[in-house]
Amino acid sequence: MNPAALAPWACDPRASRGRRVAQAPAPPRSEHQRDRDRIVHSSAFRRLVYKTQVFVNHEGDLFRTRLTHSIEVAQLARSAARALALNEDLVEAIALAHDLGHTPFGHAGQDALHECMRECGGFEHNLQSLRVVDRLEQRYPEFDGLNLCFETREGILKHCSRRNAERLERLEPGGPAWRFVHGGQPSLEAQLVNLADEMAYCAHDIDDGVRSGLITPAQLETVPVFARLRECAQADHARLEGKRLLFEVLRRLISELVGDLVGATTAALESAAPADADAVRAAPPLARLSPALRAELDELRRFLFAELYRHPQVTQTTDIARTVVSELFAAYRSAPAEMPADYAGTDDAERAVADYIAGMTDRFALREHQRLTGRRVFGGAA
Ligand code: MG
């Protein structure tokens, strides 16, 4: 990526707001390339391979995990970023880091941990992703965390409750939580990753849903965008069916989404004409889909919620996962010495337990649960 070729509203790495601990540049890498590299080499990134997206890790080898999801998000967001002359390295860094704070067992794990932490500030996975890159990774001599650039951290903190934002803002005035207190948007690169995240999971969860047998092709016909693209695919390939038909429809869905995102965002940028990246932050959201495709994607999401994420077979697994997380929390609270010394000896005992559990992979959480409770959930898994 040549910084001179960036659009005026892109985040230019040469104009970064910098790192919390100042560091000399490391040419020929740009500051955001360097962030991407630090993320890829982090322990939290490697653990994403054994963390649930929708299906718990032991349910099958072909399902998405947080790692493959993050790579797919990075791919979609980079395609769009290149077409829009935005900062591809920054987009990739944000995409690869966006789920680092996820607990084991997906949203069920996060809900359980939030419940356990209710009296002590709660648990939010976006905030935890920032905590991972700011504090919990311990691999550099001079600082805790990865000491990433402001723009990368801004993109990682996608949501934040008002209470937590005010707390962060007191600790770091003008930092990534500023916009949750005072209003405003993140960079276009961050906005692009948010949309790419949604696009990626909608497409891959259909694939995984069908593969698992929890969603049938007949059900998908009730989703307008799916039926429309399936017709187009069969108009071009009359005898296409089964898996190849599904993949062709999903391929068309992704291309259409990325193409539409680039087109609608270009139009929004032309009419808003922001002078630079800071003008983007002060404007309404500029990365967007066209209203027609936005409506189709919303309908697809509603379908996935109703038919996949709330499918009895999925919720049965996630109920067990919730119990595992709550029981682990109780076990470490009553016996902190069961945790590694880094966690056992800290002042904020509850937060230390939450950090330790949040960092676990699905399978490690199951092993620890069995070790501490003597019970084995998910037959054969632990
Ligand atoms: Mg995600």
Side-chain angles (χ1 to χ4, degrees), residues 231-251:
E231 266 174 40
C232 296
Q234 284 184 321
D236 290 344
H237 308 277
R239 290 205 299 275
L240 199 56
E241 56 178 19
K243 263 196 322 202
R244 282 185 198 240
L245 174 60
L246 177 68
F247 293 149
E248 179 60 20
V249 174
L250 293 178
R251 187 156 39 239

Side-chain angles (χ1 to χ4, degrees), residues 53 66 69 73 98-99 158 197 201:
Q53 184 66 23
R66 291 259 164 226
H69 163 71
V73 174
H98 86 282
D99 273 352
K158 179 163 110 178
D197 185 17
Y201 75 69

